[in-house]
Amino acid sequence: MRSFLRMALKDRGENPFRIGWESAKANAVPMVVLWLFAVGLVVGYYFVLGIAEGLKPIAEWQVRWGIRAAIVNQLVFGVLLPAVFVVSNRRIRVRRPLLKLACQAGWSVMYAVIFVWFYGLQAAMFGKDNDFTTLALKAAFDQFVWTPFVWMPISSVFYLWMGNDFSVAKTVERCRSGFVRGVLMPNQVSGWCVWIPVVFVIYAFPHALQFQILGLVNALWTLLLLQIGTRISDDKQQGVLEGR
């Protein structure tokens, strides 16, 4: 923790909170679409006849298959759908597409394993009820403990490595030079703007559906950003692009 603070204080440059906020503002339209989609899902689940019943087989599949169901979810929503979109859009050019696809697949498998465990931890800590207090506790722990101190550093380094054309030397150099203020903190600020309302909604679903809904929401966010294109440099944008 002390080294984290020293890095943040040592590195000088543009205000990382401003960078993160500008990144979020640049994606205001897809962000609002994501919020509306998430709210529409949970409202439909609890108030529209037939939706909850229609999602019941998915919940049962998640319970029965566990991590395997989560991995399938991520390979479909986190790898296959974005890959199909990129291949079908001639305006998008990707360096080393097969290598990036393989790395994204490996990342998606790890993501599934970690987040199934994390959602289970949240259920053990705070219960599986969907009252406001439980949802608020889960969302707060998710966004202000787990994400900034565990998940965001890991995912930022991974996507920085991918963005540096898989160069370990360049990634290490970037991590040593302004990583906290230039990458980690802007990513986190923009992530908070996008995901705090969304994770609150995700935790409103029954525990067995939470990861499956997360995969669907992540896929929508990725496709929205691919559609409008990135208008901000990789360092400023990456935290938003990677989703949860």
Side-chain angles (χ1 to χ4, degrees):
M1 180 64 179
R2 289 180 180 177
S3 62
F4 180 94
L5 292 175
R6 281 201 299 270
M7 288 178 66
L9 294 172
K10 181 179 180 181
D11 184 37
R12 297 179 180 179
E14 190 174 352
N15 188 319
F17 295 98
R18 182 180 296 275
I19 295 174
W21 174 243
E22 292 298 325
S23 177
K25 287 199 301 182
N27 292 291
V29 172
M31 182 168 63
V32 172
V33 171
L34 187 73
W35 292 347
L36 294 175
F37 178 73
V39 171
L41 278 177
V42 76
V43 170
Y45 181 84
Y46 286 106
F47 297 103
V48 177
L49 186 65
I51 291 183
E53 193 65 26
L55 291 177
K56 188 176 179 180
I58 297 177
E60 293 173 347
W61 176 57
Q62 177 65 54
V63 171
R64 187 168 59 252
W65 283 59
I67 288 176
R68 291 174 295 172
I71 290 173
V72 171
N73 173 287
Q74 281 302 291
L75 291 177
V76 171
F77 289 127
V79 180
L80 182 60
L81 285 183
V84 169
F85 182 91
V86 169
V87 169
S88 63
N89 193 326
R90 296 182 179 180
R91 293 176 298 176
I92 299 177
R93 296 290 182 268
V94 179
R95 287 173 54 84
R96 300 187 181 184
L98 294 180
L99 179 57
K100 287 189 174 180
L101 186 66
C103 288
Q104 189 64 44
W107 174 261
S108 296
V109 171
M110 184 189 73
Y111 180 100
V113 172
I114 290 175
F115 270 85
V116 166
W117 169 83
F118 176 66
Y119 279 14
L121 175 66
Q122 289 267 63
M125 291 173 61
F126 305 115
K128 296 182 179 181
D129 295 333
N130 61 355
D131 58 279
F132 182 84
T133 300
T134 301
L135 300 184
L137 287 172
K138 288 183 176 181
F141 185 80
D142 183 314
Q143 288 295 292
F144 298 108
V145 178
W146 166 259
T147 299
F149 295 106
V150 179
W151 187 247
M152 186 59 74
I154 295 171
S155 59
S156 292
V157 171
F158 173 77
Y159 282 100
L160 186 64
W161 172 67
M162 290 244 301
N164 279 310
D165 203 23
F166 306 99
S167 170
V168 174
K170 289 181 180 179
T171 303
V172 171
E173 177 61 27
R174 188 67 181 92
C175 289
R176 289 176 176 174
S177 176
F179 173 74
V180 173
R181 285 180 62 91
V183 179
L184 188 59
M185 292 174 67
N187 285 354
Q188 185 57 73
V189 172
S190 59
W192 278 331
C193 294
V194 175
W195 291 101
I196 288 177
V198 176
V199 298
F200 193 93
V201 169
I202 288 172
Y203 288 125
F205 281 91
H207 178 74
L209 278 174
Q210 288 171 7
F211 188 88
Q212 296 296 323
I213 297 298
L214 172 64
L216 178 61
V217 170
N218 262 332
L220 174 64
W221 180 241
T222 301
L223 293 176
L224 283 171
L225 291 187
L226 285 173
Q227 178 64 39
I228 66 172
T230 57
R231 293 169 294 177
I232 304 175
S233 65
D234 287 342
D235 282 354
K236 297 179 182 179
Q237 178 77 1
Q238 191 62 67
V240 182
L241 281 175
E242 72 194 43
R244 284 277 297 144

